[in-house]
Amino acid sequence: MPGDDALVLTAEEESMLAGEQGPATAMCMRLIVGVARANGAERLVPIESAHADGCLYHGVAGLEFTERLVSLGARVRVRTTLNVGSLDLLHPGLVRADPEVAENGRRLMDAHVALGCEPIWSCAPYQSGHRPAAGSHVAWAESNAIAFVNSVLGARTDRYGDFIDIAAGVAGRVPYSGLHLQRNRTAALVLDFSAVPAALLDADVAWPAIGALLGELAGTRVAALTGLPGDLNDGGVTEDRLKALGATAASAGGVALFHVVGVTPEAPTLDGVLGPGATTVPVTAHDLRRACDRLSSAATTSLDAVSLGTPHFSLSEFAALARELRDGPSFAPSVDVFVSTSRAVLAEAEARGYADAVRDAGGSILTDTCTYVTPVLRDGIRTVMTNSGKWAWYAPANLGIDTVLGSLAECVASARAGRVVRDERLWR
C-alpha cells in the first residue's frame, strides 16, 4: 500500500488544506485528502459538478456536519444538485413523518440550499438538466445516478456518499482513484444476451431483471453486456431501460459502471472495453425469469398499493403511463397508487396533461422524495406492486412489506383490478 507521501497536492490545494481559503474549505479538504490517502491516490482531480445525497435525513450526524459547513461560510464551487430529501415540500400532506424527523429533515434540506446547491430534489439529476459531458470528472452520489452518469453519459465518478459528496462540491476536487482512472473502467465480465428472445428483451420488465442478474454476477465489478438490441433511443435500448437496469444492478450488487456494447459511449465495440482475463457468461431467458422472481416477495395476489418512479419517473414514462390510462377505468379504491418524480419533470407532465391523467385515475404524485425512504404508505399496507427493481429490492427491508415486480402495463391493470395481474405469456 502506498504511504501518505504518495499523494501530491498542488500549491492551490495545499492552500485550501491549510485554511487560507477559509475554514470550511479546509474542513472539506481534510476529508478529501484523508479518503485520497486511504485509496492510495497520487493526486486529486478537479471536478466539473457534483450531485449530493447527504440531504436525505438519516440522523443528527449529517445535519450537524452540514450546518457546521454553513456556519463556517461554505459555498459549493462547482454545480451541485441535490438528491431526494425526507419531505415532499410541494405536497406536504403526503409524508407522514414524525415531527422531529420532519423538522430535522427540513433543516438538512435548507442547509444544503444555503451552501449554494441546486434544490432539484431528485435521484435522477440527468432528467433535470444535469448531464455532464463524456470524459468529464464529477463527484456524484446516489447509486443509480452513479451508474447512469458513468455508464450512459460516459462521465467519470467514483462511488461517493454522505459527507464526501458535499465536501467535493465545496472543494471542487476528489481523489484521482477508482473509476476516475481509465484502467479501472474496463470490463472484468461479459454477459452475452444473444440467446434471449427478442420479444423478452423488448419488454420493459426485462430490464430490471437484467439489472438484478448483473448485480448478482458482477458485484462491484465492471461488466460489458452484448446481444442487447438497438442503438440508444432508437430500437430496444432507451435511457429509461438503461436507468432501470443500472438502478437495479447498483442495488443488487453495487455496480457503478456497465457497458452495453454498441450503445453506451465507451463501448462502440467489445474489444474497446474488455479488460485482461475477462470471463463471458451466456444468459438465457430462464436466468432472467429467476432474476425477476428474486424481486417479488409476495406469495398471494392481494394488493394494497402500487409505487412507480424509483428512480424518479421521466417525462417519457409519464407519457407511457398516460397512454395506459387512456379510456380505461379508474384505480380500485382499495389500491393506493403513487408516482414519484422530480419537480422539473412534473412541470412538463402538468403542461402535457400527463399529471392530470394520473390524478383523474385516482393516483397521487410525489416530488422531492421517494416512497421507500420516507413514510408515505399508509399503515396496514402489506403488498405493493412496482415496475422498479430498485424499489422492489429495498422496500421489503425498509418498509416491512412484500413486493411484486411487474411491467408498467401490469401495474396499471393490477391497480384497476384491486389484485395482482401478471401476463405470464412473456416468460413461456
Side-chain angles (χ1 to χ4, degrees):
M1 290 290 291
D4 287 356
D5 58 357
L7 180 66
V8 177
L9 302 181
T10 66
E12 182 181 8
E13 290 162 354
E14 292 282 9
S15 168
M16 296 164 68
L17 183 61
E20 294 174 8
Q21 298 189 31
T25 298
M27 177 177 167
C28 292
M29 279 294 289
R30 287 195 297 272
L31 180 56
I32 291 166
V33 166
V35 171
R37 287 177 170 152
N39 290 349
E42 296 180 354
R43 65 180 178 91
L44 306 182
V45 61
I47 56 172
E48 296 188 13
S49 71
H51 180 66
D53 186 34
C55 49
L56 176 63
Y57 182 73
H58 292 295
V60 295
L63 177 60
E64 290 176 351
F65 178 82
T66 310
E67 290 189 334
R68 175 64 172 164
L69 288 177
V70 174
S71 71
L72 293 174
R75 297 282 294 181
V76 294
R77 67 179 65 202
V78 297
R79 182 185 187 186
T80 303
T81 50
L82 292 174
N83 199 50
V84 297
S86 298
L87 303 172
D88 182 342
L89 302 180
L90 295 185
H91 316 98
L94 291 178
V95 176
R96 302 177 302 107
D98 68 60
E100 181 180 359
V101 170
E103 179 185 357
N104 287 348
R106 181 59 189 265
R107 282 172 56 189
L108 184 60
M109 295 169 80
D110 289 345
H112 277 82
V113 174
L115 294 174
C117 302
E118 294 181 31
I120 66 167
W121 309 126
S122 180
C123 56
Y126 44 86
Q127 294 173 177
S128 295
H130 193 176
R131 297 174 67 90
S136 61
H137 291 279
V138 299
W140 278 30
E142 214 296 321
S143 61
N144 102 83
I146 292 168
F148 192 96
V149 77
N150 270 322
S151 310
V152 183
L153 299 185
R156 300 187 172 203
T157 184
D158 209 17
R159 299 170 179 86
Y160 298 109
D162 293 4
F163 304 101
I164 189 71
D165 52 2
I166 194 62
V170 172
R173 286 159 173 77
V174 292
Y176 190 52
S177 59
L179 292 173
H180 292 283
L181 300 173
Q182 177 59 36
R183 66 174 180 265
N184 295 330
R185 298 179 70 86
T186 57
L189 177 69
V190 179
L191 300 187
D192 180 8
F193 292 84
S194 58
V196 178
L200 177 54
L201 293 177
D202 194 42
D204 285 346
V205 73
W207 294 81
I210 292 171
L213 182 64
L214 172 59
E216 175 188 353
L217 296 177
T220 59
R221 294 180 295 169
V222 178
L225 284 60
T226 63
L228 294 175
D231 296 326
L232 184 58
N233 294 321
D234 182 22
V237 183
T238 65
E239 282 201 0
D240 288 329
R241 289 177 170 181
L242 293 177
K243 175 179 73 171
L245 188 167
T248 312
S251 304
V255 172
L257 168 62
F258 60 91
H259 303 291
V260 180
V261 175
V263 175
T264 54
E266 294 179 57
T269 65
L270 178 59
D271 288 343
V273 293
L274 205 58
T279 57
T280 298
V281 177
V283 177
T284 67
H286 174 75
D287 295 325
L288 291 185
R289 178 58 194 258
R290 182 178 58 83
C292 184
D293 288 345
R294 289 178 64 213
L295 297 171
S296 295
S297 61
T300 72
T301 60
S302 63
L303 185 65
D304 302 306
V306 170
S307 182
L308 307 173
T310 305
H312 275 168
F313 232 41
S314 68
L315 188 62
S316 57
E317 288 173 314
F318 262 115
L321 178 56
R323 288 193 296 271
E324 289 289 338
L325 296 176
R326 187 178 301 145
D327 301 325
S330 298
F331 302 135
S334 60
V335 178
D336 296 339
V337 177
F338 294 96
V339 180
S340 302
T341 192
S342 68
R343 296 180 178 201
V345 170
L346 177 58
E348 286 291 330
E350 296 277 16
R352 300 186 187 205
Y354 304 153
D356 283 342
V358 174
R359 297 188 186 105
D360 290 347
S364 299
I365 298 175
L366 185 75
T367 59
D368 303 344
T369 190
C370 184
T371 53
Y372 81 94
V373 298
T374 198
V376 173
L377 302 182
R378 58 184 166 82
D379 294 337
I381 283 182
R382 293 292 177 264
T383 304
V384 182
M385 194 170 192
T386 181
N387 68 337
S388 163
K390 178 175 182 175
W391 204 96
W393 184 267
Y394 284 123
N398 282 14
L399 304 176
I401 53 92
D402 285 318
T403 58
V404 180
L405 181 72
S407 67
L408 180 63
E410 288 171 330
C411 288
V412 170
S414 299
R416 286 169 166 167
R419 57 179 175 81
V420 173
V421 176
R422 300 180 76 176
D423 184 355
E424 295 294 335
R425 293 173 296 177
L426 181 67
W427 301 101
R428 292 172 185 164

